[in-house]
Amino acid sequence: MLLALLAGPLASAGAWAASARYELDPVHTRVQFAVSHAGFSQALGTVSGSTGTLEFDDGDWSTARLDVTVPLQRLDLGDADWNRATLARNLLDAQRWPEARFVSTRVEPLGPDRFIVHGQLSIRGVTREAALAVAFNALKRHPLPPFRRTAGFSATTTLSRRDFGIDAWPSVIGDVVELRIEVEATRARGAADAGEVDPEPPAATEVEPALPPDANQEDGTEPPATGPAPVPEPQRDEPTPP
């Protein structure tokens, strides 16, 4: 997926080394899916926490390699019962097949920032060809610590769940599944070639602005003291009560 995005932008990035390695940011990478619910609506769900690596040569991006895994146990349809049903054996069978995997094979350029990325998609032990329509968003140093170079893109595709052996409940669940994928990938530490140095991080005033007054502080009282924003604790995927 990512190799397509980097093809155009990196071809002109002469200051960068010929080879680089990026890792997907699992916090800011997410898969959204939509599938018909008995014809009444499109049921929406997400899967967070995807991981993967990309290796590419900015002088010959056709040799890039991408390998991404999607943890299906992190699927969320907004309802604990539906989550369990979707992960059960007659659908995703996520206990036996906890991950989906995409491995790129070739790139079909459509323009400087749009591509079709072809690859092998594996779900539930079945592998099929998949083609992603990819739009490049950005490739630059991230403004927040650790200030690593980051690539961002958006991708869409459709697939048939029957192609992957997921054919239960045909009167309730549609066959066509629409996917929307949002990805950020960060340059791996130690990936810089000899002689290449990452730029210095910006001054603290550029990345640590004063906190705004609390939204409830409209009565003229003093807002809380400003300072660095606290680091949020990671969220746990705990099922919601029925």
Side-chain angles (χ1 to χ4, degrees), residues 109-175:
L110 302 179
D113 58 359
R114 293 190 178 274
F115 308 85
I116 302 295
V117 181
H118 300 267
Q120 297 282 321
L121 177 63
S122 299
I123 303 175
R124 206 175 184 265
V126 178
T127 300
R128 294 283 185 266
E129 290 281 343
L132 304 175
V134 180
F136 171 78
N137 296 328
L139 178 60
K140 58 185 178 180
R141 183 186 63 190
H142 201 287
L144 296 176
F147 309 108
R148 307 298 297 175
R149 289 175 179 139
T150 300
F153 70 90
S154 304
T156 59
T157 192
T158 60
L159 55 87
S160 164
R161 68 185 182 100
R162 292 193 186 98
D163 285 350
F164 296 89
I166 308 171
D167 55 6
W169 300 357
S171 62
V172 178
I173 303 174
D175 177 53

Side-chain angles (χ1 to χ4, degrees), residues 41 45 50 54 63 71 101-102 118-119 170 176 209 218 233-234 236 241-242:
S41 66
S50 296
L54 168 71
T63 63
R101 184 181 181 187
F102 179 83
H118 300 267
V176 176
E218 296 181 356
E233 295 183 359
R236 297 181 178 176

Side-chain angles (χ1 to χ4, degrees), residues 1-2 14 19 22 38 44 53 72 86 97 100 104 118 139 161 192 195 197 212 216 223 230 233 242:
M1 292 182 287
L2 290 177
S19 181
Y22 284 73
L44 300 177
T53 59
L72 298 179
T86 304
W97 307 101
S104 60
H118 300 267
L139 178 60
R161 68 185 182 100
V197 179
N216 295 323
E233 295 183 359

Side-chain angles (χ1 to χ4, degrees), residues 75-98:
L75 173 147
D76 184 14
L77 279 157
D79 179 83
D81 290 336
W82 266 105
N83 291 350
R84 284 190 292 270
T86 304
L87 296 173
R89 186 164 185 171
N90 63 338
L91 289 175
L92 288 177
D93 198 2
Q95 185 168 354
R96 286 201 302 165
W97 307 101

